Amino acid sequence: MSDVNPILSGSAQSIAAYQQAIEQSTRAVVEWLKQPEMYQGKTVDQLRERIQLSFTQEGLGNEATIARAVEYFLKDSLSVHHAQCVAHLHCPSLVISQAAEVLINATNQSMDSWDQSPSATLIEIKLIEWLREQVGYSAGDAGVFTSGGTQSNLMGLMLARDAFFAGKGHSVQQHGLTGDLSKIKVFCSKEAHFSVQKNMALMGLGYQSVVQVETDAFSRMDINDLKAKLAQAKDNGEQVMAIVATAGTTDAGAIDPLPEITALAAKENIWVHVDAAWGGALLLSEKYRHYLDGLESADSVTLDFHKQFFQTISCGAFLLKDARHYELMRYQAAYLNSDFDEEHGVPNLVSKSLQTTRRFDALKLWMGLEALGKKQYAGIIDNGVTLAQQVAEYVQAQPELELVMTPQLASVLFRFRPEQKDTAFVALLNQRIGDVLLASGSANVGVTEADGVTCLKMTLLNPTVCLEDIKVLLDSVKQTAKQLLNA
């Protein structure tokens, strides 16, 4: 072993090595933040050729290894804080979130038992209690922090499944799935996140179990089609396990009609899970909180904080309305959550989570809320929604651009639309516009489809971006289009 102990500890030698490594890394990040380009513009093939591993017998040491990481990773990373980086639900992060990561990583707490994360466990519980209050749930702590939307959606669907079978006197946990599984259905809109299908497959019910409901002109679930499909399912002898409503679709930012969906589900005794991974940020909004009316009636909710809460990846949460449903996934292990501990009031979060070892990501949200305060947090969330409205108005005034859909959250769907060109040509042109901008390193604009129309997407999460920045981006779109048309 090297003479220099590589383990972080309280020794003077280790502390000195830690400070040196952190300072070297911080200096490199500061220089990277000054980099004017959004991306250095290397292709997949160029990166594949450039990146080489260097695992030697003796090791390179901390300083040389950090230098290599800066050269081969940091310099070629996408600058998500850049004003022209608007392709995805990929946010720049709060400075305080970066500070939280230092504390999370150095302490390396594990959230699977109280004796591995004493203060962290209680902070997370208090945050879950606070989040439930924001949603409109009753007082309690039924919920847990997760890696993000896909995991939270899996938890909602899994508990919906197990509650469905428990209502028939059958325990999935004890005896597995039973009966004619082809008759069990989950409903969601055509614009719902792909994790609905993915998770239903993971749970053994398959893609065939997912019934997609039509959407309206704004990509929101069509309540009339939902009613019709529910009636058809009943006629077919099928049983509805859950309805997944979306509060913030990936492309359009559409929020399904939550009051109508939850009211309909209540009449039919159907579990409602709301995927509010994006739109859940409006819980803190001063202008747009009413978009989430009805969320309080859902049986479970997904929230993501690494989207418009501006936390570093990963940071999400799952909230469960009725704590009794957690019994459906409860498992006790003497080494983590023993009967003795529970009898003596020791909190253990492992019973609420799909994960065992888990990071203390809740610290980032706690520090963010304390550092910014509710008003500033509301302001940076509302900024994106308001900016999208301003950008849409500007796009409509540009003769070469076409607004594909009126914004609902912080995304703008549009396309470059030359005259007298057929649909296929326009679709390919817009695809190529996005590709060329990224390859140049100047901008990252999303390419997607809305109701069969290939278009470009700007996801305006960054609160440091203003309308003038987007005008520059749109000029780049137009210039790139003209270059392609003239090529």
Side-chain angles (χ1 to χ4, degrees), residues 89 168 256 348 381 450 466:
L89 281 165
K168 301 178 182 303
D256 291 338
N348 282 296
I381 289 169
C466 65

Side-chain angles (χ1 to χ4, degrees), residues 364-402:
K364 294 181 285 193
L365 181 62
W366 178 48
M367 290 176 67
L369 288 162
E370 291 209 340
L372 272 67
K374 290 183 179 180
K375 190 168 188 64
Q376 188 176 2
Y377 227 136
I380 62 174
I381 289 169
D382 287 347
N383 176 80
V385 184
T386 302
L387 178 59
Q389 296 166 0
Q390 295 170 346
V391 170
E393 186 177 341
Y394 179 77
V395 166
Q396 288 178 304
Q398 307 302 303
E400 297 159 301
L401 302 178
E402 178 183 10

Side-chain angles (χ1 to χ4, degrees), residues 84 391 393-403 414-418 429-430 432-434 436-437 442-443 445 456 458 467-487:
Q84 312 297 305
V391 170
E393 186 177 341
Y394 179 77
V395 166
Q396 288 178 304
Q398 307 302 303
E400 297 159 301
L401 302 178
E402 178 183 10
L403 186 68
F414 73 105
R415 62 177 176 169
F416 185 87
R417 188 74 170 94
L429 174 63
N430 280 275
R432 293 185 64 197
I433 290 169
V436 169
L437 286 172
S442 63
V445 181
L456 300 173
M458 295 182 287
L467 180 59
E468 293 306 312
D469 295 315
I470 302 304
K471 288 180 180 179
V472 171
L473 176 56
L474 292 173
D475 283 343
S476 296
V477 168
K478 290 188 282 189
Q479 291 168 11
T480 302
K482 290 172 183 176
Q483 291 168 1
L484 289 169
L485 287 170
N486 294 328

